[in-house]
Amino acid sequence: MLDFKNMKEKINNCDFKIVNLQVDESLISKKQLKNFLVNLDPNILDQKYLKSRNTRNAIYQINCPFYLKTLVLKRSLPNPNYKKHRLLSFYLRNIFKNYGKLGFYGAKMLIKNKIPTQTPLAYWKYQKSYFIYESCLLYEKIITPYSVRDLLKQNPKNGTADQIRKRQILLESMAKLTRDLHSKNLLHGDLICNNFLVKSPEQLDDPKRETIDLIVIDTDHMSYNIFPTKLFKRFFSLKCIRRVNPQLEGVEEYLKIYLKSFNFLGLVGQTTF
């Protein structure tokens, strides 16, 4: 029987082994990266910890001596408050599911279809024991201080005329990018305002602009809509947004804008919230 009481402490004290390392060698040397990772102690990464909305992920900033740009390591970690069953479920899931791999190829999928996103460099797993794995994704840091959610908070619904205008531009931009994704048969399983970064916030100051440039992140939620007929494609586009929580900042307004132009069986904008 597993000793859950001391399981977290034992895991944290384990040595790490890097397994299944895959690298985009057009961007970075696999040999150099492997040597760098071997000498990088994952237990001290907390010194460069970045904020993450999802408690399943820890995100770290890394400066690599042989790569000019700042890198980000996204690592799947158990929430320190997990109960016994959640902790066991987390590690069992990580044996069979590689979130780093999903994020890597999700970003590649977007890049291939000319959708702005992060530049992925590599993915691997840290193995601590026979059944304890942590998925990792390495990518270039996106230099922008704001997500759509951040700027929505700065521009409330009941604000000034200029704040309302900026809020509308943000939501229209997010809806437009979602339509672009779906028109290319790409599905993002976590369509929330945190997962859209604002490339150039100063674009909001241009009164002539109707939309601004956004960047899609959290690419381990990406998938491809494989269904051949338009009816099924549209059904799964709707399924993609079914999980979205309209109580989150800006989400209800975003969904209304998106669904106004969504034609499913001739029903345009027939949406109730």
Side-chain angles (χ1 to χ4, degrees), residues 165 235 240:
R165 177 188 66 82
F235 173 79
C240 176

Side-chain angles (χ1 to χ4, degrees), residues 105-198:
Y105 286 107
K108 289 291 185 185
M109 188 187 301
L110 291 171
I111 292 169
K112 182 179 178 181
N113 286 275
K114 299 181 179 179
I115 301 291
T117 189
Q118 62 211 26
T119 300
L121 301 178
Y123 68 89
W124 66 93
K125 283 188 175 184
Y126 281 130
Q127 183 178 7
K128 292 187 171 185
S129 73
Y130 182 74
F131 73 98
I132 297 176
Y133 293 86
E134 294 172 359
S135 303
C136 296
L137 172 66
L138 188 70
Y139 56 91
E140 289 182 4
K141 183 179 180 181
I142 300 171
I143 309 299
T144 178
Y146 299 112
S147 67
V148 168
R149 182 173 180 266
D150 295 329
L151 293 180
L152 286 176
K153 285 186 172 183
Q154 294 181 20
N155 297 279
K157 287 190 285 187
N158 57 351
T160 65
D162 188 56
Q163 288 176 324
I164 294 171
R165 177 188 66 82
K166 290 179 178 179
R167 185 180 184 89
Q168 187 67 17
I169 290 174
L170 288 165
L171 296 167
E172 289 281 1
S173 302
M174 191 170 158
K176 178 181 180 298
L177 188 48
T178 304
R179 287 193 291 268
D180 289 345
L181 286 170
H182 292 172
S183 70
K184 296 176 180 179
N185 299 321
L186 303 175
L187 304 178
H188 193 298
D190 195 13
L191 291 170
I192 60 172
C193 300
N194 275 334
N195 287 338
F196 292 81
L197 301 184
V198 178

Side-chain angles (χ1 to χ4, degrees), residues 213-235:
D213 299 327
L214 300 181
I215 302 168
V216 181
I217 61 170
D218 219 4
T219 55
D220 54 334
H221 291 282
M222 291 302 306
S223 60
Y224 188 73
N225 191 342
I226 61 173
F227 289 91
T229 65
K230 182 179 288 188
L231 176 62
F232 278 110
K233 285 182 188 296
R234 292 186 177 243
F235 173 79

Side-chain angles (χ1 to χ4, degrees), residues 242-256:
R242 179 181 61 83
R243 295 174 59 246
V244 175
N245 181 0
Q247 303 302 317
L248 296 176
E249 177 70 42
V251 170
E252 181 178 341
E253 299 160 85
Y254 148 70
L255 289 176
K256 286 181 178 179

Side-chain angles (χ1 to χ4, degrees), residues 26-39:
S26 67
L27 298 173
I28 195 168
S29 164
K30 183 174 183 177
K31 183 178 179 180
Q32 283 184 307
L33 180 60
K34 186 172 184 179
N35 290 335
F36 175 74
L37 293 174
V38 166
N39 295 303

